Amino acid sequence: MNGPFSDFTNEPILIENIPDFEQPALKPLDKGYLTIMYISNLLQLVLPIAWIVLIPMFFPEIPSFWSKMGLILILAFILVQFLIIRWSFGVKGYAIREKDIIYQTGLFFRSKTIIPFARVQHGEITRSLLSRAFGLSTLNVYTAGGSSSDLSIPGIRAEEAEKLCAFILQKVNQEMKDEEE
Amino acid sequence: MEMSIIAVFLFFSFISTLGSILSYFRFYFWLDDRHFNLHEGILRKNKLQIPFERIQAIKLEQNLFHQAFSLTALEVETAGSKGAELKIYALPMALAQEIRSYVFSKKEEMDISKEESVALKGIPKTSIQTEFDGGDLLFKLSTESLIKIGLSQNHLRTMGLVLIFTLVTFERITELYMRYAGEEALEEAYGLGNFLLNAMFLGVSFSVLLALALGYSIVQTLIRHADFMVYRTREGLRVIGGLFNRIEQVVVRRKIQLMVLDANPLKRLFGLKRVRFFQASSDLMSTKESIVIPGCDVVQEKKVIEEYISPDRLLNLKWHSVQPVYAVRYFLLTLLLPLLIVVAAGYFRFGIQALWLLWLIPVLGVLANLHYNMLKYAVDDDYLVLKKGFWNRRIFIVKLYKIQSVELYRGFYELRRGDIGSVIVHTAARSILIPFLRIDEAQKLINYLIYKVEADRRDWI
C-alpha cells in the first residue's frame, strides 16, 4: 500500500491503536429540531403563498390557470424543501470523545469536523425564539481557526446543552492546567 | 468677509493644536512585570491593559518624519478579541526596541517557568536581558535581487491599473482631438484605411503598457523593500525594510502557525522564492499577521526556512499523491468549463470561427495532468506539508501541534462515489485542503493528525 503511513509500518501497534474518529456512533439531534425547521421553512414561504392566493382575488383578469400553476410550483417547492430538511436531519449528529468533539452536517456537501478540547477557545449556548418554544438550544464551539472551523450544533435539549457546554469548558480548563503544570 | 473666514479657520486650527498638545500631556504608558498599560484621552478617558501573554507581535513602523528624527511608531498586536490593539505614534527608536526586547524576554520567562514545572529540572533559568537584542544579520536583499523581485511580481494587477489610466487618457485625447479637428478627421483616423497605422499604434501602446507595468512594479518593490534586512534574534527572525515607510517586524519562532513558500515561473527563472510566515490572527481576512520575505535565493531560503523546519527534513519528505480522478475533475470543472463558456460566447458573437478555440482542449488536458502531478502531500512525525500548483508553485508547511481542527469533507461527487474524501486542516492562520484521498487514507490521516494534536502538550499559540 502506498499510503501516507508506510513510514509507520515498523510500529504497527501504534497506528492500530490510534482511536478512529468514525467509530463513535453519532448522536442525532432532537426530533423537535425537525419540527422547528419545518415551521421556519413554512414561515419563509408565507408571503409567496399569500401572493399566489391573493392575486386572483384582486386581479381576476389573470387566467386562473397561471395562478394555479404558481400554487402547484410553490407546493412542489415546499415538498422538496421538506424532503431535504428531513434527509439532512438524518445526516446531522455529534459525538463527544474523551479529548474532542465531533460534528457531522451537510446533505450534499458533507463535512465531519473534529475539534480537540485543547484547541477550543470558548463555548456558548444560543437560543432562538422558536427553539426556546421547543426547549432546544444551539451549542457553539469556537477555535482560533476562524469561522470555517467553528462548530454550531443546533437542536440539543436545553439542559443537555448546558451540561455539554459546562463539560467542554471544564475539559478546556483542565487541558490548560495540564499545559501549565 | 474673508477676514472672518480666516478667523474661523485660525480658531479651529488653534483648538485642534490645543487638543493635540493636551492629549500629548494626557498620554501615559508604562510597563510592569506582566502588562502593557496605557492611559489616554482628555474628555473620554481610555485605559488599556494588555497582559504580555496576549501580545502576538510588536511592530515598529517609520515614515519619513520618523526617520528624520529617528523616531518610530509602535504597534502592539494581540490574538483574539478585536480592538484591543495598541498604538503609540512616536517613540525614540532605541526606546521602542528596548520595550520590545523587554516584553518578549518577559514572555519567554513566563513560558520557561511554565515549562520548568512540567519536566526537565536541569534547565537553568535564563537571565533576563532587557537591553536591545538586534540579532545577527542573516542577509540583506541586494538591489539586483530587488529588481528581479519587482520583475517577477504579478503584473496583471498593475497592468489593469495602467490600462485604466491609459483608457481614461485616451478618451480625453479623443475628446480634445474631436473638439479641435472635427469629427470627420477623427473618423478618418480610426478608419479602415489606416489599419496598419492602428495596428502599429496598438502594438506600440501594448509595449508601452507592459513597460509601464514593469517599471511600476520595480519601483514599487524598490521602495517597499528598500534596504531589506533579515536578522536572527533569540526569539525569531527580525525583518526590516522600506524606504519611506520603514517597517520592522519580528517573527516570533513559537508563534508561527504556518509557513508558505511560493514561486511563479519568473521567480523560478531567477532562482527566487517568496517566504511567508503566518501568525495567529484575530481577523482571518487580513494578511496583516503574515510576514513576507519577498524573494530569497537558495542559500537565503535555507537560513529563513530553518525557523520553522530544517531544510534537510523538507528535502527528505516522502510525498504522496491524491487520487488520479482529481486530474479529471480539475480538467472538467476548472479548465474545460470556462473554455466552453468562452467558446459559446464567441460562437454567438463571431460565428463558426470561435470553434477553432476547441483545439485548446488537449492543451488543457496536459495542463490538468501537470497540475495533478504537482499536487503532493507528506506527513511525518511533526509536520504536514502540501505542495501544489504548476505555474505558481506553493508549499504549505504546518507543524502538527499547531493544527486547530480537522475536517473530513465530501462534496456531491465524492459522496456519490463513496470511496474518496477530502481532508481540510484548519490552523489559526489559514485552512489547507488536501483533496480526493482514498477514503480509508483520509480517515487514517485524520486519525493521525488528531492523535498528534491531542497527544502534544505544547501550547500552540
Side-chain angles (χ1 to χ4, degrees):
Chain A
M1 191 194 87
N2 187 25
F5 305 111
S6 358
D7 310 355
F8 296 95
T9 43
N10 45 6
E11 299 165 311
I13 303 151
L14 175 67
I15 203 79
E16 294 303 310
N17 282 349
I18 293 180
D20 184 9
F21 76 101
E22 297 276 30
Q23 211 199 5
L26 295 181
K27 191 170 181 211
L29 305 182
D30 193 274
K31 274 273 192 284
Y33 175 69
L34 201 55
T35 324
I36 291 175
M37 287 304 286
Y38 286 152
I39 294 174
S40 59
N41 183 34
L42 278 180
L43 284 180
Q44 276 169 20
L45 292 169
V46 158
L47 270 180
I49 292 175
W51 192 61
I52 291 285
V53 172
L54 292 181
I55 273 188
M57 288 188 190
F58 293 102
F59 303 99
E61 67 272 16
I62 293 178
S64 67
F65 169 76
W66 288 110
S67 55
K68 267 183 198 149
M69 274 301 284
L71 203 59
I72 288 171
L73 268 179
I74 290 261
L75 286 178
F77 187 66
I78 291 176
L79 188 71
V80 171
Q81 284 271 53
F82 271 41
L83 282 177
I84 289 176
I85 288 170
R86 181 70 195 82
W87 287 333
S88 55
F89 178 80
V91 171
K92 286 187 168 79
Y94 62 94
I96 307 270
R97 293 197 293 180
E98 207 179 307
K99 287 180 187 304
D100 48 36
I101 177 166
I102 303 172
Y103 178 56
Q104 173 171 283
T105 182
L107 180 59
F108 300 118
F109 304 95
R110 190 163 306 165
S111 90
K112 194 168 190 178
T113 307
I114 305 119
I115 299 185
F117 294 133
R119 297 291 177 273
V120 172
Q121 291 287 302
H122 73 284
E124 76 177 10
I125 291 172
T126 55
R127 312 183 71 186
S128 70
L129 212 63
L130 247 180
S131 58
R132 217 171 307 172
F134 283 81
L136 296 180
S137 298
T138 300
L139 175 67
N140 299 297
V141 180
Y142 298 96
T143 70
S147 52
S148 56
S149 70
D150 296 338
L151 287 190
S152 178
I153 311 177
I156 307 179
R157 296 227 69 79
E159 55 277 17
E160 201 188 324
E162 299 278 351
K163 260 191 232 159
L164 265 179
C165 195
F167 176 77
I168 290 171
L169 291 182
Q170 178 220 326
K171 281 281 186 188
V172 171
N173 284 329
Q174 193 185 320
E175 293 279 347
M176 258 163 54
K177 235 191 241 158
D178 287 357
E179 243 160 43
E180 268 168 36
E181 268 162 18
Chain B
M1 182 61 196
E2 263 179 33
M3 280 303 282
S4 62
I5 291 174
I6 291 171
V8 168
F9 178 75
L10 279 179
F11 176 72
F12 276 110
S13 36
F14 174 71
I15 292 285
S16 92
T17 314
L18 194 72
S20 307
I21 292 169
L22 277 180
S23 61
Y24 169 76
F25 282 113
R26 299 286 323 170
F27 191 101
Y28 302 100
F29 75 89
W30 68 95
L31 290 92
D32 56 34
D33 258 11
R34 310 185 132 260
H35 307 99
F36 205 120
N37 301 280
L38 178 79
H39 284 192
E40 62 169 338
I42 316 162
L43 297 174
R44 247 183 72 187
K45 289 199 173 138
N46 186 11
K47 292 182 182 179
L48 203 62
Q49 186 178 53
I50 302 181
F52 288 160
E53 60 260 30
R54 290 248 332 269
I55 295 178
Q56 278 288 307
I58 294 182
K59 192 167 136 186
L60 307 183
E61 194 169 343
Q62 290 180 296
N63 60 25
L64 275 183
F65 281 110
H66 286 122
Q67 287 180 44
F69 297 100
S70 72
L71 296 172
T72 179
L74 181 145
E75 206 175 324
V76 175
E77 286 166 4
T78 59
S81 55
K82 283 174 202 168
E85 259 133 58
L86 179 154
K87 188 165 183 180
I88 300 171
Y89 290 92
L91 273 181
M93 191 66 192
L95 181 61
Q97 284 173 334
E98 200 177 307
I99 286 174
R100 195 178 51 195
S101 296
Y102 175 76
V103 170
F104 281 119
S105 57
K106 278 288 180 190
K107 273 170 80 78
E108 202 172 315
E109 184 190 11
M110 283 176 198
D111 290 332
I112 287 169
S113 60
K114 237 196 221 174
E115 279 160 20
E116 255 183 0
S117 48
V118 182
L120 302 173
K121 293 159 217 156
I123 297 179
K125 212 167 179 177
T126 45
S127 62
I128 303 304
Q129 297 173 304
T130 47
E131 74 272 18
F132 173 56
D133 167 31
D136 315 316
L137 180 66
L138 282 187
F139 60 87
K140 185 182 155 186
L141 292 184
S142 62
T143 315
E144 188 199 334
S145 49
L146 279 179
I147 290 175
K148 283 181 185 167
I149 291 165
L151 271 173
S152 59
Q153 260 181 15
N154 186 0
H155 295 294
L156 284 179
R157 208 186 42 197
T158 20
M159 260 177 95
L161 278 178
V162 177
L163 186 70
I164 290 170
F165 176 74
T166 329
L167 282 181
V168 170
T169 323
F170 190 69
E171 210 176 270
R172 187 91 192 100
I173 289 173
T174 318
E175 212 173 90
L176 282 177
Y177 195 72
M178 228 154 79
R179 189 173 301 163
Y180 293 112
E183 267 182 58
E184 279 168 31
L186 188 72
E187 258 168 40
E188 200 175 302
Y190 279 148
L192 270 175
N194 285 323
F195 177 76
L196 202 67
L197 207 70
N198 282 330
M200 247 171 73
F201 177 70
L202 261 179
V204 169
S205 47
F206 182 77
S207 329
V208 169
L209 204 71
L210 192 68
L212 276 177
L214 286 179
Y216 179 80
S217 296
I218 290 172
V219 169
Q220 195 201 28
T221 309
L222 280 176
I223 289 175
R224 200 198 294 166
H225 302 301
D227 244 355
F228 196 92
M229 291 185 278
V230 180
Y231 293 88
R232 174 172 292 139
T233 69
R234 257 181 316 121
E235 57 257 12
L237 289 182
R238 191 160 71 95
V239 176
I240 317 170
L243 183 62
F244 300 125
N245 229 3
R246 230 171 143 60
I247 297 178
E248 179 176 342
Q249 286 166 305
V250 171
V251 193
V252 182
R253 203 168 288 126
R254 288 179 308 111
K255 304 244 175 247
I256 304 170
Q257 304 293 326
L258 170 71
M259 182 168 75
V260 183
L261 316 177
D262 60 85
N264 60 24
L266 272 173
K267 279 225 167 69
R268 286 204 298 280
L269 188 72
F270 295 136
L272 293 174
K273 265 202 193 107
R274 180 169 72 151
V275 183
R276 281 179 295 168
F277 294 99
F278 289 87
Q279 296 178 304
S281 61
S282 47
D283 179 7
L284 280 174
M285 296 310 286
S286 81
T287 47
K288 177 178 82 173
E289 264 79 12
S290 81
I291 288 166
V292 184
I293 294 161
C296 39
D297 60 32
V298 185
V299 183
Q300 296 165 339
E301 182 200 327
K302 264 192 181 166
K303 287 180 188 166
V304 169
I305 285 181
E306 231 162 359
E307 287 299 309
Y308 199 61
I309 186 171
S310 94
D312 288 340
R313 192 166 191 166
L314 192 55
L315 285 177
N316 295 322
L317 285 171
K318 242 185 116 201
W319 296 100
H320 306 283
S321 310
V322 305
Q323 291 298 300
V325 67
Y326 175 75
V328 181
R329 299 280 294 175
Y330 183 79
F331 171 69
L332 290 176
L333 292 180
T334 318
L335 301 176
L336 189 64
L337 194 66
L339 178 74
L340 289 183
I341 292 172
V342 168
V343 167
Y347 182 76
F348 287 117
R349 181 77 181 74
F350 302 106
I352 201 90
Q353 278 168 330
L355 295 184
W356 281 101
L357 279 177
L358 292 177
W359 282 108
L360 280 175
I361 290 177
V363 179
L364 294 188
V366 173
L367 270 181
N369 197 40
L370 288 171
H371 184 84
Y372 167 74
N373 285 336
M374 290 310 297
L375 184 72
K376 294 262 157 56
Y377 73 99
V379 207
D380 72 1
D381 272 355
D382 301 293
Y383 293 94
L384 168 70
V385 184
L386 174 78
K387 60 176 180 183
K388 65 174 186 184
F390 174 66
W391 294 113
N392 191 17
R393 291 192 190 159
R394 278 159 295 169
I395 307 178
F396 301 81
I397 304 161
V398 196
K399 270 189 188 159
L400 295 183
Y401 79 96
K402 301 280 184 180
I403 292 173
Q404 294 292 318
S405 66
V406 185
E407 186 178 340
L408 172 67
Y409 175 83
R410 280 170 292 172
F412 194 65
Y413 175 75
E414 291 158 277
L415 273 176
R416 214 187 48 203
R417 272 191 55 143
D419 60 346
I420 45 177
S422 304
V423 176
I424 305 178
V425 175
H426 300 282
T427 77
R430 232 165 217 232
S431 303
I432 296 170
L433 170 80
I434 306 168
F436 286 65
L437 299 178
R438 227 178 39 225
I439 192 82
D440 59 312
E441 226 172 283
Q443 283 162 352
K444 261 189 190 169
L445 178 62
I446 292 174
N447 283 332
Y448 179 70
L449 294 178
I450 286 290
Y451 160 74
K452 274 307 220 180
V453 172
E454 287 170 357
D456 206 309
R457 299 261 65 141
R458 276 174 292 176
D459 199 1
W460 65 271
I461 196 156

